[in-house]
Amino acid sequence: MTDRLRLGYVPLTDAAPLIIARELGFAAEEALDLDLVRAGSWAQCRDMLGTGAVVAAHMLVPLPIAQGLGLGPAFPDLDLLMVLSQGGQAIAVSRAIAARLKGQGHGFDFRDPRAARDALARAHPGPLRVGVPFPFSTQAELVRHWLDGTGLAARLSIHTVPPPLMADALAAEEVDAYCVGEPWASRAVERGVGALLLPGSAIWAAPPEKGLVMTRAFAEGHPDPTGRLMRALWRAGRWLDQPGNRGTAAEILSRPDWLNLPPELCERGLLGRLHVTPEGDLRDCPGFIRFHAQGATFPWRSIAAMLGARLAARHGLDPEWAMARAAAYFRTDLYRRHLREAGADLPAASAKVEGAMVAPTPVATEQGRMILGADAFFDGHRFDTAFARR
């Protein structure tokens, strides 16, 4: 018997595991029929999940943490069961700012976040309005971390803009720049209203972007369909990271039922070959987005704690309480239980020192060793607390 599950998603490249699981049969192999419900914004996606309109959702990684810290509507507890994607974001600036950057000799090299930040400060001396898809998003965290401790931070204001409307906001001069997941960063270049300044991975080598989020009541009360869904999405992510499959994925994602965009635009982020200016300047960004490889799907409790500490600092909450509470919403226990039988590499620990790995690093697993991807921050920042070492 096939179970039908309604899942919420926002049309982005990183919704690929849900779409591929449905379109290529990974869900059907687990006796699941996925009914994917498109949301126009992250608030709508969160509300659909919180009110029971969907049983699970493709969701911003920090969002369930914010909910757990009381920074959202009074919904049932929302747990992140697995990470669906790492990276895939880019910062776009307006055409006017891009012209001033180019006039100053900035090369848009995509590699040096300090040089890009300093060049932006010179090219745009006034208030800096940056669009992000939601206040509690990896994009917001990346922008704040990148600008922290500089004059730009004092001039920064964060504005929430739904991803498909980012290029419109830039064209209308409602924001000066934005940080968003593909393909909506490239949309600014495609429309000629902006240029790409920096990928998110230049700021943080492995920024966890989206996760599978479910109400705690459903995840714990319905373990069988929960496990089958996790395995279907895990296998879809594995397929996405196999060489040669990204072109097919772009063709599927671009269809009217999903992103409804030209396949070439969807392909840019998937292949990490990005047009950074309307004039056609190209940059190769290997590993721009990852769905499975190098432990990308594991929901590290230390990442949750780090994000909880950052939210606590901005909202006047007790940091120790926030870290412990945030970590409880990243369900490493369910990940291990449901993905062990699928053959997933399972790290021996559920927390690590965040930002410590400057290159792919072998770590112990339940059955041997695995390679984790680099997770360093551009400025050498590390999140190293007693909690993270447990």
Side-chain angles (χ1 to χ4, degrees):
M1 180 177 177
T2 298
D3 290 317
R4 186 175 178 82
L5 298 181
R6 285 171 59 85
L7 275 60
Y9 79 101
V10 173
L12 288 141
T13 298
D14 53 40
L18 281 71
I19 296 167
I20 294 300
R22 182 186 187 278
E23 294 288 280
L24 295 190
F26 296 106
E29 290 173 4
E30 293 285 349
L32 294 175
D33 176 13
L34 301 187
D35 178 13
L36 303 185
V37 183
R38 183 192 305 229
S41 69
W42 290 112
Q44 182 187 6
C45 197
R46 174 203 61 195
D47 294 351
M48 288 195 304
L49 181 58
T51 58
V54 297
V55 301
H58 152 254
M59 189 74 71
L60 296 159
V61 163
L63 202 153
I65 296 171
Q67 281 292 119
L69 299 183
L71 302 174
F75 288 146
D77 286 330
L78 305 180
D79 285 340
L80 187 142
L81 309 187
M82 61 187 292
V83 175
L84 294 174
S85 63
Q86 285 182 347
Q89 325 90 342
I91 296 172
V93 296
S94 71
R95 193 166 178 84
I97 292 176
R100 291 196 292 272
L101 287 167
K102 191 171 183 179
Q104 293 174 1
H106 183 65
F108 294 86
D109 64 12
F110 252 41
R111 294 191 301 271
D112 190 338
R114 288 186 178 85
R117 184 181 63 190
D118 294 345
L120 178 60
R122 293 190 298 269
H124 187 74
L128 180 64
R129 303 163 299 167
V130 178
V132 299
F134 201 69
F136 311 119
S137 61
T138 302
Q139 289 90 341
E141 296 303 324
L142 287 169
V143 169
R144 287 190 169 100
H145 191 98
W146 180 45
L147 302 182
D148 187 45
T150 71
L152 279 170
R155 298 191 265 127
L156 173 67
S157 61
I158 296 289
H159 300 258
T160 299
V161 183
L165 301 180
M166 288 284 191
D168 291 339
L170 197 66
E173 300 182 357
E174 295 169 357
V175 295
D176 306 299
Y178 64 70
C179 182
V180 73
E182 280 291 280
W184 304 113
S186 287
R187 188 67 168 165
V189 177
E190 188 74 3
R191 289 183 50 187
V193 300
L196 300 187
L197 182 59
L198 205 63
S201 58
I203 300 168
W204 182 7
E209 177 55 31
K210 303 299 188 311
L212 175 67
V213 177
M214 188 178 283
T215 64
R216 183 169 296 173
F218 190 93
E220 295 182 348
H222 300 83
D224 179 61
T226 296
R228 284 187 280 137
L229 175 61
M230 292 176 68
R231 289 189 291 274
L233 296 178
W234 183 84
R235 292 188 177 105
R238 181 175 62 183
W239 180 89
L240 281 159
D241 275 2
Q242 289 171 353
N245 287 344
R246 294 290 180 91
T248 301
E251 188 277 325
I252 293 171
L253 293 178
S254 69
R255 294 173 184 170
D257 285 348
W258 308 123
L259 272 62
N260 193 26
L261 291 168
E264 190 275 336
L265 189 60
C266 295
E267 197 173 56
R268 293 182 191 179
L270 285 169
L271 297 182
R273 187 160 175 77
L274 299 169
H275 294 238
V276 299
T277 68
E279 291 72 34
D281 295 322
L282 296 175
R283 298 291 180 272
D284 286 318
C285 193
F288 177 73
I289 188 168
R290 185 178 295 137
F291 298 99
H292 177 90
Q294 299 183 343
T297 59
F298 192 74
W300 294 97
R301 287 164 53 86
S302 43
I303 288 179
M306 180 178 68
L307 294 172
R310 292 183 178 189
L311 291 175
R314 290 201 296 272
H315 293 274
L317 305 175
D318 176 74
E320 294 295 325
W321 171 84
M323 285 190 292
R325 188 164 177 83
Y329 290 94
F330 274 37
R331 299 299 300 271
T332 55
D333 58 331
L334 297 184
Y335 185 97
R336 294 179 188 279
R337 180 191 310 170
H338 293 308
L339 292 181
R340 186 176 284 116
E341 64 184 81
D345 285 324
L346 301 173
S350 292
K352 57 187 173 67
V353 178
E354 296 300 329
M357 294 180 292
V358 298
T361 302
V363 299
T365 68
E366 291 185 355
Q367 297 181 333
R369 297 183 78 76
M370 66 182 292
I371 302 295
L372 295 181
D375 70 349
F377 290 88
F378 80 101
D379 57 356
H381 171 76
R382 294 187 179 189
F383 179 76
D384 181 9
T385 68
F387 176 88
R389 291 192 291 271
R390 287 205 291 269

